[in-house]
Amino acid sequence: RLQPLDQIDLALSAMEHFNELQPGSDRVVAFIACIAGLGAMASEGIRKEQIPRCLDLIAARAADDVGLVAFFRAAQEFLLIPCGSAEAA
């Protein structure tokens, strides 16, 4: 099992390279692998440092970036919540 910061790095890397994955199961598997990192990013202790990293990655892309659009569609379908945090319990 990866440590929270490694989970966040994995999530950001998957988000950054989502457009390189084949539509379908590749993207679903990559998104599912991101859930723990996205939840860790939202946790109280590291939120201030990690959320800006995510926002910077998003801001560096065009609004119609194929990878980001697909990533956020996957997030919408899975109704992402902060996994692994006290709020999710």
Side-chain angles (χ1 to χ4, degrees), residues 61-82:
R61 304 281 182 150
D64 60 350
D65 179 82
V66 175
L68 282 183
V69 169
F71 185 87
F72 285 107
R73 281 195 181 136
Q76 179 183 5
E77 290 174 15
F78 282 90
L79 298 174
L80 185 64
I81 61 172

PDB file of all heavy atoms in Angstrom, residues 61-82:
ATOM      1  N   ARG A  61      -3.877  23.139 -18.352  1.00  0.00           N
ATOM      2  CA  ARG A  61      -4.516  22.484 -19.495  1.00  0.00           C
ATOM      3  C   ARG A  61      -5.619  23.361 -20.073  1.00  0.00           C
ATOM      4  O   ARG A  61      -6.208  24.174 -19.375  1.00  0.00           O
ATOM      5  CB  ARG A  61      -5.148  21.156 -19.061  1.00  0.00           C
ATOM      6  CG  ARG A  61      -4.220  20.193 -18.408  1.00  0.00           C
ATOM      7  CD  ARG A  61      -3.409  19.502 -19.444  1.00  0.00           C
ATOM      8  NE  ARG A  61      -2.526  18.533 -18.814  1.00  0.00           N
ATOM      9  CZ  ARG A  61      -2.146  17.440 -19.412  1.00  0.00           C
ATOM     10  NH1 ARG A  61      -2.544  17.154 -20.610  1.00  0.00           N
ATOM     11  NH2 ARG A  61      -1.308  16.630 -18.813  1.00  0.00           N
ATOM     12  N   ALA A  62      -5.911  23.139 -21.327  1.00  0.00           N
ATOM     13  CA  ALA A  62      -7.047  23.818 -21.952  1.00  0.00           C
ATOM     14  C   ALA A  62      -8.345  23.292 -21.347  1.00  0.00           C
ATOM     15  O   ALA A  62      -8.413  22.143 -20.886  1.00  0.00           O
ATOM     16  CB  ALA A  62      -7.034  23.562 -23.455  1.00  0.00           C
ATOM     17  N   ALA A  63      -9.364  24.126 -21.351  1.00  0.00           N
ATOM     18  CA  ALA A  63     -10.650  23.728 -20.769  1.00  0.00           C
ATOM     19  C   ALA A  63     -11.242  22.511 -21.475  1.00  0.00           C
ATOM     20  O   ALA A  63     -11.968  21.731 -20.868  1.00  0.00           O
ATOM     21  CB  ALA A  63     -11.626  24.894 -20.820  1.00  0.00           C
ATOM     22  N   ASP A  64     -10.907  22.337 -22.738  1.00  0.00           N
ATOM     23  CA  ASP A  64     -11.452  21.203 -23.487  1.00  0.00           C
ATOM     24  C   ASP A  64     -10.430  20.073 -23.668  1.00  0.00           C
ATOM     25  O   ASP A  64     -10.581  19.232 -24.551  1.00  0.00           O
ATOM     26  CB  ASP A  64     -11.976  21.669 -24.842  1.00  0.00           C
ATOM     27  CG  ASP A  64     -10.893  22.311 -25.706  1.00  0.00           C
ATOM     28  OD1 ASP A  64      -9.781  22.566 -25.205  1.00  0.00           O
ATOM     29  OD2 ASP A  64     -11.173  22.558 -26.891  1.00  0.00           O
ATOM     30  N   ASP A  65      -9.409  20.046 -22.824  1.00  0.00           N
ATOM     31  CA  ASP A  65      -8.409  18.980 -22.875  1.00  0.00           C
ATOM     32  C   ASP A  65      -9.099  17.622 -22.762  1.00  0.00           C
ATOM     33  O   ASP A  65      -9.860  17.379 -21.817  1.00  0.00           O
ATOM     34  CB  ASP A  65      -7.405  19.153 -21.738  1.00  0.00           C
ATOM     35  CG  ASP A  65      -6.353  18.069 -21.730  1.00  0.00           C
ATOM     36  OD1 ASP A  65      -5.389  18.193 -22.498  1.00  0.00           O
ATOM     37  OD2 ASP A  65      -6.524  17.093 -20.962  1.00  0.00           O
ATOM     38  N   VAL A  66      -8.873  16.764 -23.722  1.00  0.00           N
ATOM     39  CA  VAL A  66      -9.553  15.470 -23.790  1.00  0.00           C
ATOM     40  C   VAL A  66      -9.342  14.650 -22.526  1.00  0.00           C
ATOM     41  O   VAL A  66     -10.278  14.039 -22.000  1.00  0.00           O
ATOM     42  CB  VAL A  66      -9.078  14.675 -25.035  1.00  0.00           C
ATOM     43  CG1 VAL A  66      -9.678  13.298 -25.063  1.00  0.00           C
ATOM     44  CG2 VAL A  66      -9.400  15.439 -26.296  1.00  0.00           C
ATOM     45  N   GLY A  67      -8.129  14.638 -22.010  1.00  0.00           N
ATOM     46  CA  GLY A  67      -7.837  13.858 -20.817  1.00  0.00           C
ATOM     47  C   GLY A  67      -8.555  14.372 -19.589  1.00  0.00           C
ATOM     48  O   GLY A  67      -9.136  13.597 -18.821  1.00  0.00           O
ATOM     49  N   LEU A  68      -8.542  15.697 -19.398  1.00  0.00           N
ATOM     50  CA  LEU A  68      -9.222  16.262 -18.230  1.00  0.00           C
ATOM     51  C   LEU A  68     -10.733  16.089 -18.328  1.00  0.00           C
ATOM     52  O   LEU A  68     -11.396  15.785 -17.338  1.00  0.00           O
ATOM     53  CB  LEU A  68      -8.878  17.733 -18.052  1.00  0.00           C
ATOM     54  CG  LEU A  68      -7.521  18.038 -17.440  1.00  0.00           C
ATOM     55  CD1 LEU A  68      -7.342  19.540 -17.267  1.00  0.00           C
ATOM     56  CD2 LEU A  68      -7.336  17.339 -16.116  1.00  0.00           C
ATOM     57  N   VAL A  69     -11.278  16.270 -19.512  1.00  0.00           N
ATOM     58  CA  VAL A  69     -12.718  16.078 -19.682  1.00  0.00           C
ATOM     59  C   VAL A  69     -13.086  14.644 -19.326  1.00  0.00           C
ATOM     60  O   VAL A  69     -14.033  14.404 -18.573  1.00  0.00           O
ATOM     61  CB  VAL A  69     -13.148  16.424 -21.128  1.00  0.00           C
ATOM     62  CG1 VAL A  69     -14.578  15.973 -21.393  1.00  0.00           C
ATOM     63  CG2 VAL A  69     -13.001  17.916 -21.386  1.00  0.00           C
ATOM     64  N   ALA A  70     -12.321  13.680 -19.821  1.00  0.00           N
ATOM     65  CA  ALA A  70     -12.598  12.274 -19.512  1.00  0.00           C
ATOM     66  C   ALA A  70     -12.423  11.983 -18.029  1.00  0.00           C
ATOM     67  O   ALA A  70     -13.211  11.242 -17.426  1.00  0.00           O
ATOM     68  CB  ALA A  70     -11.680  11.368 -20.339  1.00  0.00           C
ATOM     69  N   PHE A  71     -11.400  12.586 -17.417  1.00  0.00           N
ATOM     70  CA  PHE A  71     -11.160  12.363 -15.994  1.00  0.00           C
ATOM     71  C   PHE A  71     -12.334  12.875 -15.166  1.00  0.00           C
ATOM     72  O   PHE A  71     -12.834  12.186 -14.271  1.00  0.00           O
ATOM     73  CB  PHE A  71      -9.864  13.059 -15.562  1.00  0.00           C
ATOM     74  CG  PHE A  71      -9.490  12.778 -14.143  1.00  0.00           C
ATOM     75  CD1 PHE A  71      -8.741  11.646 -13.839  1.00  0.00           C
ATOM     76  CD2 PHE A  71      -9.890  13.605 -13.118  1.00  0.00           C
ATOM     77  CE1 PHE A  71      -8.401  11.362 -12.526  1.00  0.00           C
ATOM     78  CE2 PHE A  71      -9.549  13.330 -11.806  1.00  0.00           C
ATOM     79  CZ  PHE A  71      -8.806  12.201 -11.517  1.00  0.00           C
ATOM     80  N   PHE A  72     -12.795  14.077 -15.459  1.00  0.00           N
ATOM     81  CA  PHE A  72     -13.887  14.638 -14.672  1.00  0.00           C
ATOM     82  C   PHE A  72     -15.225  13.972 -14.977  1.00  0.00           C
ATOM     83  O   PHE A  72     -16.093  13.920 -14.112  1.00  0.00           O
ATOM     84  CB  PHE A  72     -13.940  16.153 -14.803  1.00  0.00           C
ATOM     85  CG  PHE A  72     -12.844  16.812 -14.017  1.00  0.00           C
ATOM     86  CD1 PHE A  72     -11.763  17.383 -14.638  1.00  0.00           C
ATOM     87  CD2 PHE A  72     -12.883  16.810 -12.635  1.00  0.00           C
ATOM     88  CE1 PHE A  72     -10.735  17.958 -13.910  1.00  0.00           C
ATOM     89  CE2 PHE A  72     -11.863  17.380 -11.887  1.00  0.00           C
ATOM     90  CZ  PHE A  72     -10.794  17.950 -12.529  1.00  0.00           C
ATOM     91  N   ARG A  73     -15.375  13.432 -16.166  1.00  0.00           N
ATOM     92  CA  ARG A  73     -16.574  12.619 -16.433  1.00  0.00           C
ATOM     93  C   ARG A  73     -16.543  11.359 -15.575  1.00  0.00           C
ATOM     94  O   ARG A  73     -17.564  10.943 -15.029  1.00  0.00           O
ATOM     95  CB  ARG A  73     -16.659  12.259 -17.903  1.00  0.00           C
ATOM     96  CG  ARG A  73     -17.182  13.379 -18.739  1.00  0.00           C
ATOM     97  CD  ARG A  73     -17.610  12.924 -20.115  1.00  0.00           C
ATOM     98  NE  ARG A  73     -18.071  14.066 -20.872  1.00  0.00           N
ATOM     99  CZ  ARG A  73     -17.755  14.308 -22.118  1.00  0.00           C
ATOM    100  NH1 ARG A  73     -16.977  13.470 -22.776  1.00  0.00           N
ATOM    101  NH2 ARG A  73     -18.217  15.368 -22.729  1.00  0.00           N
ATOM    102  N   ALA A  74     -15.367  10.758 -15.459  1.00  0.00           N
ATOM    103  CA  ALA A  74     -15.240   9.576 -14.599  1.00  0.00           C
ATOM    104  C   ALA A  74     -15.539   9.942 -13.152  1.00  0.00           C
ATOM    105  O   ALA A  74     -16.246   9.210 -12.451  1.00  0.00           O
ATOM    106  CB  ALA A  74     -13.837   8.977 -14.724  1.00  0.00           C
ATOM    107  N   ALA A  75     -15.037  11.091 -12.705  1.00  0.00           N
ATOM    108  CA  ALA A  75     -15.307  11.541 -11.336  1.00  0.00           C
ATOM    109  C   ALA A  75     -16.800  11.748 -11.126  1.00  0.00           C
ATOM    110  O   ALA A  75     -17.353  11.360 -10.093  1.00  0.00           O
ATOM    111  CB  ALA A  75     -14.547  12.829 -11.051  1.00  0.00           C
ATOM    112  N   GLN A  76     -17.442  12.333 -12.103  1.00  0.00           N
ATOM    113  CA  GLN A  76     -18.885  12.560 -12.006  1.00  0.00           C
ATOM    114  C   GLN A  76     -19.628  11.232 -11.909  1.00  0.00           C
ATOM    115  O   GLN A  76     -20.545  11.091 -11.105  1.00  0.00           O
ATOM    116  CB  GLN A  76     -19.359  13.347 -13.217  1.00  0.00           C
ATOM    117  CG  GLN A  76     -20.841  13.618 -13.240  1.00  0.00           C
ATOM    118  CD  GLN A  76     -21.262  14.343 -14.504  1.00  0.00           C
ATOM    119  OE1 GLN A  76     -20.457  14.560 -15.422  1.00  0.00           O
ATOM    120  NE2 GLN A  76     -22.511  14.720 -14.577  1.00  0.00           N
ATOM    121  N   GLU A  77     -19.220  10.258 -12.709  1.00  0.00           N
ATOM    122  CA  GLU A  77     -19.888   8.958 -12.697  1.00  0.00           C
ATOM    123  C   GLU A  77     -19.708   8.231 -11.377  1.00  0.00           C
ATOM    124  O   GLU A  77     -20.587   7.521 -10.916  1.00  0.00           O
ATOM    125  CB  GLU A  77     -19.386   8.096 -13.848  1.00  0.00           C
ATOM    126  CG  GLU A  77     -19.838   8.590 -15.201  1.00  0.00           C
ATOM    127  CD  GLU A  77     -19.219   7.815 -16.341  1.00  0.00           C
ATOM    128  OE1 GLU A  77     -18.667   6.713 -16.098  1.00  0.00           O
ATOM    129  OE2 GLU A  77     -19.274   8.310 -17.480  1.00  0.00           O
ATOM    130  N   PHE A  78     -18.569   8.386 -10.760  1.00  0.00           N
ATOM    131  CA  PHE A  78     -18.291   7.693  -9.511  1.00  0.00           C
ATOM    132  C   PHE A  78     -18.704   8.499  -8.282  1.00  0.00           C
ATOM    133  O   PHE A  78     -18.584   8.021  -7.158  1.00  0.00           O
ATOM    134  CB  PHE A  78     -16.803   7.339  -9.403  1.00  0.00           C
ATOM    135  CG  PHE A  78     -16.440   6.147 -10.227  1.00  0.00           C
ATOM    136  CD1 PHE A  78     -16.035   6.299 -11.538  1.00  0.00           C
ATOM    137  CD2 PHE A  78     -16.512   4.871  -9.699  1.00  0.00           C
ATOM    138  CE1 PHE A  78     -15.701   5.199 -12.311  1.00  0.00           C
ATOM    139  CE2 PHE A  78     -16.185   3.769 -10.461  1.00  0.00           C
ATOM    140  CZ  PHE A  78     -15.776   3.934 -11.769  1.00  0.00           C
ATOM    141  N   LEU A  79     -19.177   9.750  -8.481  1.00  0.00           N
ATOM    142  CA  LEU A  79     -19.583  10.610  -7.367  1.00  0.00           C
ATOM    143  C   LEU A  79     -18.534  10.599  -6.269  1.00  0.00           C
ATOM    144  O   LEU A  79     -18.757  10.182  -5.133  1.00  0.00           O
ATOM    145  CB  LEU A  79     -20.943  10.176  -6.819  1.00  0.00           C
ATOM    146  CG  LEU A  79     -22.088  10.265  -7.807  1.00  0.00           C
ATOM    147  CD1 LEU A  79     -23.356   9.672  -7.207  1.00  0.00           C
ATOM    148  CD2 LEU A  79     -22.327  11.693  -8.242  1.00  0.00           C
ATOM    149  N   LEU A  80     -17.360  11.072  -6.636  1.00  0.00           N
ATOM    150  CA  LEU A  80     -16.189  11.046  -5.778  1.00  0.00           C
ATOM    151  C   LEU A  80     -16.436  11.701  -4.425  1.00  0.00           C
ATOM    152  O   LEU A  80     -16.970  12.790  -4.334  1.00  0.00           O
ATOM    153  CB  LEU A  80     -15.038  11.760  -6.484  1.00  0.00           C
ATOM    154  CG  LEU A  80     -13.701  11.742  -5.789  1.00  0.00           C
ATOM    155  CD1 LEU A  80     -13.190  10.321  -5.699  1.00  0.00           C
ATOM    156  CD2 LEU A  80     -12.714  12.583  -6.554  1.00  0.00           C
ATOM    157  N   ILE A  81     -16.049  11.003  -3.350  1.00  0.00           N
ATOM    158  CA  ILE A  81     -16.062  11.536  -1.994  1.00  0.00           C
ATOM    159  C   ILE A  81     -14.664  11.385  -1.422  1.00  0.00           C
ATOM    160  O   ILE A  81     -13.864  10.628  -1.949  1.00  0.00           O
ATOM    161  CB  ILE A  81     -17.082  10.801  -1.080  1.00  0.00           C
ATOM    162  CG1 ILE A  81     -16.728   9.320  -0.978  1.00  0.00           C
ATOM    163  CG2 ILE A  81     -18.494  11.010  -1.572  1.00  0.00           C
ATOM    164  CD1 ILE A  81     -17.543   8.570   0.047  1.00  0.00           C
ATOM    165  N   PRO A  82     -14.329  12.092  -0.332  1.00  0.00           N
ATOM    166  CA  PRO A  82     -12.984  11.978   0.231  1.00  0.00           C
ATOM    167  C   PRO A  82     -12.744  10.601   0.865  1.00  0.00           C
ATOM    168  O   PRO A  82     -13.000  10.381   2.025  1.00  0.00           O
ATOM    169  CB  PRO A  82     -12.910  13.086   1.273  1.00  0.00           C
ATOM    170  CG  PRO A  82     -14.235  13.727   1.317  1.00  0.00           C
ATOM    171  CD  PRO A  82     -15.126  13.109   0.306  1.00  0.00           C
TER     172      PRO A  82
END
